[in-house]
Amino acid sequence: MTDRWDIVIVGGGHNGLSAAFYLARAGLRTLVLERREMVGGACVTEEFAPGYRASPGAYVLSMLRGSIWRDLRLRERGLRVDQSGPSLNIYPDGQAFTLHGDRGQAADAIWPLSETDARAFPEYEALLGRIAMSLIPLLDRTAPDPRARNIRDLSALARLAPLALRRRRDIPDLAYLFTTSAKQFLDEHFQSEILKSALGWESISNTLAGPSTPGTAYNLLHEAASGGSGGGVGWGFVPGGMGVVTTLMAEAAREAGAIIRTGADVSRILIRDHRAAGAVLAGGEEIRATRIVSNADPKRTFLTLLDSTDLPPGFVAAVRAYRCEGASMKMNLAVSELPRLRDEHAGGMQPYHRGLIQITKPLSELDRDQEAARAGLPAELPHAELCIPTVHDPSLAPEGRHVVTIGVRSQPYRLGTGTWDDIREQAADRVITALGDVLPNLPGSVLHREVLTPLDLERRLALTGGHHLHGDMAPDQLFFLRPVRGFADYRTPLVGLYLCGAGTHPGGGVTGANGRNCATEVLRDVKGGR
Ligand SMILES: Cc1cc2nc3c(=O)[nH]c(=O)nc-3n(C[C@H](O)[C@H](O)[C@H](O)COP(=O)(O)OP(=O)(O)OC[C@H]3O[C@@H](n4cnc5c(N)ncnc54)[C@H](O)[C@@H]3O)c2cc1C
């Protein structure tokens, strides 16, 4: 250990690790302080019952940036992705619809729902693919600041010009997609309510907004941005679980020279003469550093690790107003057999076992669930999506057994009455019973379960409000507005303090981009003597 570090990173989530890699590789003495006994944050694999392993957070890899794969040599270190199967959508009246990743197969499956929609689908996919391609280059760099305060801002804006020129025909669609609701966008393209909810449910996955809330259409891009059309790796499951991603990232960071301390809970960021000067651990140990990079979310960083008197009042007000309340419950089930659809006669593995199984409903009903959630009422028969990671890697459970991972939506962090500690088990029972209507053998096959309400996610993973993405991803909290306007370049009002987690551009998901972009800005300041 050293008595003064060049860099201390608060948090060893995947973005903290990505930042650590780039900063250590540049020769800076870099220390990562992670409060848990393991690195990885919301991207880990943990044993939740004897012999059963799963992630309390991220379960599919879809957007890890190409530069992170390359620079950290993740493929050479052994990271693999097993492509997800098609997603099966099941509706309250028992109708089922499979959404295929392959465009031709998708159009064939849509045909029985609506011939018009089947004809419109390729054009819709192509449009989203084009918009995603326009945006993807922006993920890999600091969001350009429209205030053009200096030469760097000006040159970042100038670099955008050729891209905007090349893609100018898509600009109106892009602007529309960012401002309208998922429902309105889908209503414009399709007739079938089943197809619209199969495409649009994601608009509610990490927010209290409903599909009719303006600004939610942007979520429709997720698929296009992660699939082949967007240049990503597509949706996939990682053999060994998502923890393999962060274990290998930590290996790369250590090899580059970073030191990682786990069980190191930072209680306070030290400020001296208006600049960040170190971190104080919960036990009182003081660690000095020239620069501090926080991987914790914006609210945690600015409202709990710092004294608000050290920050401008307007900035504190903007951080308080930043929306960061989760609305999802996560469950991991240890089961004795694969769940099976009602009336399924064939035994063995079916294509839907390899993908997502969504128990869903029309967008108008999802709107009602979200409205109730905003009032503090968890949906009784919520949208839920299931996947079975053991189909992709049987070693995650004892032989012949499986893990079923479930995301349950419209479960607000803030309840109207009572606490999640009071209703956790009851809410989980209700979900499992409801799933039994569609997958009749599921309830009786459950051997163990792990239930993580938004409150549990906050307690266990230090996600303020239990928010999966360190804050809503909506047009007013994205790009040069994330986390708050004027501070989207990973810097903060305090000299020497930076933010590198999902609460910065380009937002949440396992991308590694936030950590890398932040490291680029820190290195600029080091070079410029700031
Ligand atoms: C239930 C759930 C499901 C998800 N599903 C997916 C998915 O399938 N695919 C996907 O791409 N993304 C998914 N996500 C989102 C994704 O996991 C996150 O956006 C991403 O992991 C955030 O990474 P991060 O490094 O920015 O922050 P985090 O992973 O939150 O890491 C922050 C780290 O900082 C540490 N920390 C915080 N405060 C302190 C402190 N005071 N002292 C020391 N350490 C501290 C935390 O312990 C944590 O390790 C999901 C998230 C959740 C919660």
Side-chain angles (χ1 to χ4, degrees):
M1 293 284 168
T2 168
D3 54 3
R4 188 180 183 94
W5 296 84
D6 293 324
I7 308 281
V8 158
I9 299 181
V10 181
H14 88 286
N15 276 313
L17 296 171
S18 139
F21 167 80
Y22 288 101
L23 293 168
R25 191 181 69 166
L28 298 176
R29 286 166 304 148
T30 302
L31 173 68
V32 178
L33 299 172
E34 167 54 47
R35 54 183 267 287
R36 296 195 74 201
E37 292 301 336
M38 65 197 307
V39 293
C43 182
V44 288
T45 309
E46 291 187 66
E47 189 172 65
F48 67 95
Y52 295 85
R53 292 180 300 138
S55 167
Y59 57 94
V60 283
L61 192 66
S62 62
M63 293 184 76
L64 189 62
R65 307 305 304 138
S67 53
I68 304 288
W69 279 94
R70 268 192 317 277
D71 294 345
L72 281 73
R73 300 179 55 251
L74 295 177
R75 218 175 297 279
E76 292 82 344
R77 293 180 194 279
L79 183 60
R80 297 283 174 270
V81 183
D82 196 24
Q83 290 297 306
S84 169
S87 80
L88 174 68
N89 297 266
I90 304 172
Y91 299 85
D93 62 1
Q95 278 207 72
F97 163 67
T98 301
L99 188 62
H100 294 270
D102 173 82
R103 283 183 194 169
Q105 274 182 300
D108 287 349
I110 296 168
W111 197 263
L113 300 178
S114 157
E115 293 180 18
T116 319
D117 287 359
R119 282 197 207 92
F121 189 70
E123 201 183 310
Y124 166 86
E125 283 275 283
L127 171 65
L128 290 195
R130 281 201 310 278
I131 295 177
M133 289 303 272
S134 307
L135 293 175
I136 277 172
L138 304 183
L139 309 185
D140 290 323
R141 51 177 96 136
T142 302
D145 191 322
R147 290 174 302 171
R149 296 158 303 174
N150 49 39
I151 297 283
R152 212 177 51 234
D153 285 350
L154 273 172
S155 68
L157 286 166
R159 272 205 311 274
L160 268 187
L163 179 69
L165 204 62
R166 258 198 327 275
R167 303 270 176 191
R168 63 190 180 282
R169 284 194 187 82
D170 295 321
I171 289 176
D173 285 319
L174 191 150
Y176 183 54
L177 194 80
F178 268 82
T179 45
T180 192
S181 71
K183 184 166 184 313
Q184 185 162 327
F185 195 81
L186 290 164
D187 281 346
E188 231 180 88
H189 286 84
F190 303 115
Q191 296 172 344
S192 158
E193 295 304 326
I194 286 184
L195 177 60
K196 285 188 254 180
S197 70
L199 295 169
W201 71 269
E202 255 203 90
S203 61
I204 67 162
S205 68
N206 289 296
T207 173
L208 282 163
S212 295
T213 308
T216 49
Y218 159 81
N219 293 282
L220 302 173
L221 278 177
H222 187 190
E223 191 72 34
S226 48
S229 58
V233 294
W235 289 74
F237 292 83
V238 174
M242 290 294 276
V244 171
V245 179
T246 42
T247 303
L248 297 179
M249 289 179 83
E251 186 182 295
R254 283 195 187 98
E255 260 179 41
I259 303 291
I260 299 175
R261 263 178 80 176
T262 54
D265 188 0
V266 173
S267 61
R268 199 156 48 87
I269 292 171
L270 269 179
I271 306 297
R272 291 274 184 276
D273 301 326
H274 307 292
R275 67 169 293 155
V280 183
L281 298 187
E285 183 186 348
E286 270 193 26
I287 298 169
R288 302 272 161 170
T290 309
R291 290 180 170 80
I292 306 292
V293 174
S294 175
N295 184 196
D297 63 68
K299 283 197 190 268
R300 186 164 300 264
T301 302
F302 299 115
L303 305 180
T304 73
L305 299 182
L306 287 162
D307 192 331
S308 61
T309 55
D310 285 323
L311 294 161
F315 178 83
V316 173
V319 172
R320 285 194 205 284
Y322 177 77
R323 293 188 307 288
C324 187
E325 280 192 15
S328 295
M329 178 165 81
K330 164 115 188 192
M331 290 166 62
N332 286 314
L333 306 181
V335 295
S336 57
E337 58 184 8
L338 277 176
R340 298 210 168 276
L341 292 174
R342 190 175 290 289
D343 303 329
E344 183 181 309
H345 300 303
M349 188 101 62
Q350 302 300 317
Y352 70 82
H353 286 128
R354 297 185 55 78
L356 279 191
I357 307 169
Q358 332 227 82
I359 316 296
T360 190
K361 34 184 154 177
L363 293 179
S364 53
E365 289 181 37
L366 294 181
D367 256 329
R368 278 199 285 280
D369 286 352
Q370 290 290 89
E371 195 181 334
R374 285 196 292 279
L377 211 62
E380 297 225 342
L381 296 172
H383 170 100
E385 76 267 3
L386 288 73
C387 63
I388 310 168
T390 37
V391 163
H392 298 269
D393 177 5
S395 77
L396 294 168
E399 203 177 335
R401 311 281 204 205
H402 284 281
V403 170
V404 175
T405 285
I406 311 174
V408 186
R409 307 305 168 187
S410 309
Q411 309 296 305
Y413 170 76
R414 197 183 298 268
L415 294 174
T417 48
T419 70
W420 274 112
D421 287 328
D422 303 330
I423 64 163
R424 178 184 302 104
E425 299 309 321
Q426 184 191 332
D429 286 344
R430 211 166 45 219
V431 170
I432 292 175
T433 305
L435 293 177
D437 284 344
V438 175
L439 302 158
N441 68 332
L442 180 74
S445 71
V446 178
L447 305 169
H448 307 276
R449 72 186 192 189
E450 176 183 54
V451 182
L452 296 160
T453 67
L455 180 64
D456 300 313
L457 291 172
E458 178 177 69
R459 287 174 179 158
R460 175 134 149 218
L461 301 177
L463 295 168
T464 300
H467 202 297
H468 292 191
L469 310 176
H470 290 198
D472 275 17
M473 287 178 64
D476 60 337
Q477 296 194 168
L478 282 174
F479 295 101
F480 61 87
L481 302 175
R482 190 170 185 87
V484 298
R485 55 201 180 281
F487 294 94
D489 64 357
Y490 310 95
R491 295 179 182 83
T492 70
L494 289 164
V495 177
L497 176 65
Y498 304 80
L499 213 56
C500 77
T504 61
H505 170 73
V510 179
T511 66
N514 320 57
R516 192 214 35 227
N517 295 353
C518 174
T520 304
E521 296 299 339
V522 173
L523 291 172
R524 266 193 190 124
D525 285 353
V526 170
K527 208 167 148 204
R530 185 176 185 247

